[in-house]
Amino acid sequence: MATDPTTRHRAIERVLRSGEEQQRQHLDDLLVIEEPMELRIDYAIAGKRASRSLAITMRTPGDDEDLARGFLLTEGIINSEADLLSLKRCTDGQGEESPNIWRATLAEGCNFDPGKLQRNFYSTSSCGVCGKASLDALHHQGVMPVADGPAIDAELLLQLPEQLCAAQATFDRTGGLHACALFNARGELLDLAEDVGRHNALDKLLGRALRRGQLPLGDRILLLSGRASFELIQKSLVAGIGLVAAVGAPSSLAVDLSDTYAQTLVGFLRDARFNIYTHPRRLT
């Protein structure tokens, strides 16, 4: 049987109180694996090739290639699959692949600005920039207001969290992962990704869409298992998603961002209710 790269077992003690007595049980628990992944980048500058470490993120192993691809897309390093010559695991001095280090080689014509390496990426830091600077950065990245997609039945949204929960295989066994999913206008689940990091889960999802040539995703619904933060909305806008729904609350900057880019944002999608924060025209 193949080893699951996303989980590992751990012997634990469970403490239970019944009345005045305390009991202890020895159990086997299943933990979500969290490991660092480094992404290195090889690019052309002034007619020469250069190489730098781009980012390190704590992630759940699995779908690493799509995680790297999605990160490059949503951070504005690449705009299309054509910008990426190769994406491979790095090797050590003995020629063995390193499981946690990946190298992205950009095409000669990729318009990559090495100055981007000097700032904190949105996915790894939610502080250090003001709201206006964040919006300006998206504008300079070339992100445009999302196009109108198909009208969505508001009642249909209420069915999506249950589908997401039913499809979260690793969360069901561990309770320790975030998830995001893509649905079509009929409420059919198209794809799902899980990770210990919310931004990683979305990068995995969007990296697969990029690899499959499915972008932009203007006719899709994105469902987030937790809250809607600025970095998640930023990533969804790069993919052209018109409707984002979150089980949890949106932040103020997430609402501002969705509003500015004509995106419909729904929050607190649970318990047979939800709030529409921006552009309700997509929901009938």
Side-chain angles (χ1 to χ4, degrees):
M1 178 181 294
T3 302
D4 181 1
T6 67
T7 61
R8 67 178 174 88
H9 291 269
R10 171 76 180 184
I12 65 167
E13 289 187 37
R14 177 173 293 169
V15 178
L16 302 173
R17 176 170 293 280
S18 177
E20 296 297 321
E21 295 190 3
Q22 184 186 98
Q23 297 179 355
R24 293 199 176 194
Q25 300 175 342
H26 293 272
L27 302 172
D28 181 73
D29 195 25
L30 196 62
L31 304 178
V32 173
I33 293 177
E34 181 179 25
E35 292 181 351
M37 177 179 131
E38 180 183 1
L39 179 57
R40 299 175 181 175
I41 189 170
D42 184 283
Y43 57 96
I45 182 170
K48 298 180 180 180
R49 301 299 299 189
S51 184
R52 291 280 299 272
S53 177
L54 184 65
I56 297 176
T57 185
M58 301 302 296
R59 86 343 182 164
T60 302
D63 298 322
D64 285 347
E65 184 175 347
D66 286 329
L67 169 58
R69 180 180 277 103
F71 179 88
L72 292 169
L73 171 73
T74 59
E75 293 296 340
I77 308 300
I78 64 174
N79 295 314
S80 69
E81 188 74 6
D83 290 333
L84 198 57
L85 281 182
S86 66
L87 187 55
K88 300 178 180 178
R89 282 192 173 94
C90 292
T91 56
D92 58 23
Q94 287 72 44
E96 294 292 327
E97 287 188 344
S98 172
N100 293 330
I101 305 177
W102 285 77
R103 181 180 302 279
T105 302
L106 304 186
E108 294 286 339
C110 180
N111 187 25
F112 169 64
D113 177 11
K116 289 176 181 280
L117 298 178
Q118 305 306 317
R119 70 176 178 85
N120 289 327
F121 290 105
Y122 291 130
S123 63
T124 57
S125 175
S126 296
C127 60
V129 292
C130 69
K132 183 179 185 303
S134 304
L135 294 173
D136 288 345
L138 272 183
H139 175 72
H140 291 303
Q141 191 176 330
V143 175
M144 301 294 292
V146 292
D148 286 338
I152 307 297
D153 185 348
E155 285 291 323
L156 179 147
L157 284 187
L158 298 173
Q159 306 169 18
L160 303 189
E162 184 177 353
Q163 291 191 58
L164 175 66
C165 185
Q168 284 187 257
T170 307
F171 177 83
D172 188 53
R173 292 182 291 131
T174 66
L177 287 176
H178 294 283
C180 55
L182 287 174
F183 295 83
N184 62 21
R186 297 185 298 275
E188 297 168 336
L189 178 62
L190 303 176
D191 200 3
L192 177 144
E194 292 181 295
D195 196 276
V196 71
R198 295 172 303 144
H199 53 274
N200 289 338
L202 186 51
D203 278 340
K204 289 177 178 180
L205 193 69
L206 299 183
R208 282 203 294 266
L210 174 64
R211 174 168 52 85
R212 295 167 179 170
Q214 297 171 339
L215 299 180
L217 300 170
D219 58 346
R220 299 291 186 253
I221 302 168
L222 172 65
L223 178 61
L224 307 173
S225 65
R227 66 184 182 91
S229 57
F230 166 79
E231 67 268 23
L232 298 183
I233 296 301
Q234 175 257 334
K235 290 175 182 294
S236 71
L237 286 170
V238 172
I241 297 174
L243 197 161
V244 177
V247 174
S251 69
S252 62
L253 190 54
V255 172
D256 292 344
L257 193 57
S258 289
D259 196 29
T260 299
Y261 284 87
Q263 183 184 67
T264 302
L265 178 59
V266 168
F268 293 107
L269 178 58
R270 59 178 186 259
D271 302 325
R273 65 178 178 87
F274 59 85
N275 299 339
I276 306 174
Y277 289 88
T278 61
H279 301 281
R281 67 183 185 280
R282 290 187 178 89
L283 292 168
T284 59

